[in-house]
Amino acid sequence: AAGDWTKQVYSEVTETNQLRACWVRGPYVSPYAVASDFSHLILVATGIGITPALGIMGQYKGFSRTKFLIWSIRSVKMLKFFIPPFKDAH
């Protein structure tokens, strides 16, 4: 757990009773290199890091996997460039 956000996520996960197991693996050359190994995905991206996350969202279209995307951006103006790919995400 390196930064404040990561420490908070770690704290929330470890201090609460969880109904399911959660494995955190990495780091990897590509942050999504092992996505195909899991049926439930939580994709976390910041800024232009949305590009590989959208690739994963597109690779696993439909409802074959549970996918959550957390994207933090500096400016709402970035949304106009990335809204079209989200229309294909389910």
Side-chain angles (χ1 to χ4, degrees), residues 26-40:
Y28 298 96
V29 175
S30 167
Y32 304 116
V34 295
S36 62
D37 295 344
F38 301 96
S39 57
H40 304 288

Side-chain angles (χ1 to χ4, degrees), residues 10 23 27 33 35 41 43 53 57-58 65 75 77 81 83 87 89-90:
Y10 176 80
W23 289 274
L41 304 173
L43 309 171
M57 295 291 282
R65 297 176 190 275
S75 169
K77 293 178 182 178
F81 297 105
I83 288 297
K87 292 180 181 175
H90 298 278

Side-chain angles (χ1 to χ4, degrees), residues 8-87:
Q8 182 64 32
V9 169
Y10 176 80
S11 174
E12 293 291 329
V13 170
T14 58
E15 294 176 4
T16 351
N17 289 332
Q18 300 295 318
L19 300 177
R20 295 183 181 180
C22 175
W23 289 274
V24 178
R25 298 169 26 180
Y28 298 96
V29 175
S30 167
Y32 304 116
V34 295
S36 62
D37 295 344
F38 301 96
S39 57
H40 304 288
L41 304 173
I42 300 173
L43 309 171
V44 181
T46 60
I48 197 64
I50 192 66
T51 304
L54 289 176
I56 294 296
M57 295 291 282
Q59 183 175 354
Y60 302 111
K61 290 183 179 181
F63 299 100
S64 62
R65 297 176 190 275
T66 305
K67 299 168 285 201
F68 292 96
L69 176 61
I70 301 168
W71 182 31
S72 173
I73 57 174
R74 193 178 302 202
S75 169
V76 73
K77 293 178 182 178
M78 288 185 73
L79 290 174
K80 75 177 184 178
F81 297 105
F82 291 101
I83 288 297
F86 283 112
K87 292 180 181 175

